[in-house]
Amino acid sequence: MNYANVIEFVKQQISDNGRPPNYPFRDRFQHTMRVYRWAIKLQAKVGGDLEIIALAALLHDVGWEEGRNHGEVGAEIAVEFLDSIGIEPEKIGRIGEIIRIHDDKDSVRELSVECQVVMDADLLDEVGAVSVLWDSMATACEDEASYKNAYYRIKDYYRGNRPKIRRCKTEAGRMEFNKRMKVLDEFLVELERELF
């Protein structure tokens, strides 16, 4: 499988789909590439069909249409693209289903290991050191930006994300989530010492 061609397709789709960024610095394509890398790392620990995981991770955010679930739109786009490059129909169906439901992190239904890996990779992308960058940059975009405002935003995000561990579908995902929350905990303790 030539993933370079898939990556180029994803980059173009994300660029063209018109999904408005919630922040000017938030790059959906870079998010996708981080999710892809996390999915590969998780797959090495929990198994599953690597091709299905890689393709679903790469294509999970290609869809956007006002008023529709982006997973459904993305699944339609992905299915058509995967068919055009000759992926087996059975795999196309499984990848399409993962993309369609990837955002339903609170789902209690039985999920394939491939779907669990992609969901965990998507969740993990914005927890940890990346979230500190996000919160700091978001605060800098606001009026009256300050270190203390960034601190409070990081702390609020940390508190809000801690319970989201329940959304992790795999043990490897839970372990990584906990590791990232520990990094944030230690960071906040040190930041408090330096700011107050």
Side-chain angles (χ1 to χ4, degrees):
M1 165 60 60
N2 183 351
Y3 288 107
N5 291 340
V6 178
I7 290 168
E8 278 307 309
F9 173 80
V10 168
K11 189 175 191 176
Q12 192 62 53
Q13 279 298 130
I14 290 173
S15 173
D16 293 347
N17 72 17
R19 185 174 187 171
N22 47 356
Y23 290 99
F25 56 82
R26 179 131 197 275
D27 185 308
R28 181 85 36 196
F29 176 70
Q30 292 303 318
H31 159 73
T32 297
M33 295 310 296
R34 290 190 306 270
V35 169
Y36 168 67
R37 289 189 295 275
W38 274 111
I40 300 303
K41 291 174 188 174
L42 290 173
Q43 187 276 341
K45 294 177 181 179
V46 302
D49 186 310
L50 180 58
E51 185 175 49
I52 288 175
I53 290 169
L55 290 169
L58 284 170
L59 295 160
H60 83 281
D61 267 354
V62 295
W64 178 256
E65 186 177 309
E66 192 67 44
R68 285 188 68 201
N69 177 286
H70 85 276
E72 290 177 12
V73 177
E76 292 168 7
I77 293 166
V79 164
E80 185 177 320
F81 171 71
L82 293 170
D83 185 53
S84 77
I85 62 169
I87 301 296
E88 301 165 31
E90 187 268 333
K91 283 190 176 189
I92 292 174
R94 291 178 65 194
I95 294 164
E97 179 63 8
I98 292 168
I99 294 167
R100 188 179 69 75
I101 66 173
H102 80 273
D103 225 16
D104 188 10
K105 306 283 192 301
D106 291 318
S107 176
V108 293
R109 70 178 129 186
E110 192 169 323
L111 302 168
S112 69
V113 68
E114 293 85 5
C115 188
Q116 292 176 34
V117 166
V118 173
M119 283 180 159
D120 281 3
D122 193 32
L123 178 65
L124 288 171
D125 175 53
E126 293 166 351
V127 175
V130 168
S131 70
V132 171
L133 284 175
W134 179 319
D135 291 334
S136 298
M137 292 176 76
T139 305
C141 292
E142 298 170 357
D143 293 337
E144 299 180 39
S146 72
Y147 289 163
K148 285 186 179 181
N149 287 349
Y151 160 78
Y152 290 122
R153 183 182 170 106
I154 293 164
K155 191 162 187 166
D156 284 347
Y157 185 84
Y158 168 80
R159 286 180 181 154
N161 270 324
R162 180 149 285 299
K164 290 182 182 177
I165 191 167
R166 74 182 185 287
R167 293 179 171 176
C168 290
K169 308 297 184 198
T170 67
E171 185 58 32
R174 281 185 288 281
M175 288 175 64
E176 186 60 39
F177 189 96
N178 276 330
K179 188 166 111 180
R180 287 162 174 241
M181 293 307 283
K182 185 174 188 246
V183 166
L184 283 175
D185 188 44
E186 292 169 357
F187 174 81
L188 284 165
V189 167
E190 186 59 33
L191 190 56
E192 286 166 4
R193 286 178 49 196
E194 294 180 21
L195 288 179
F196 302 103

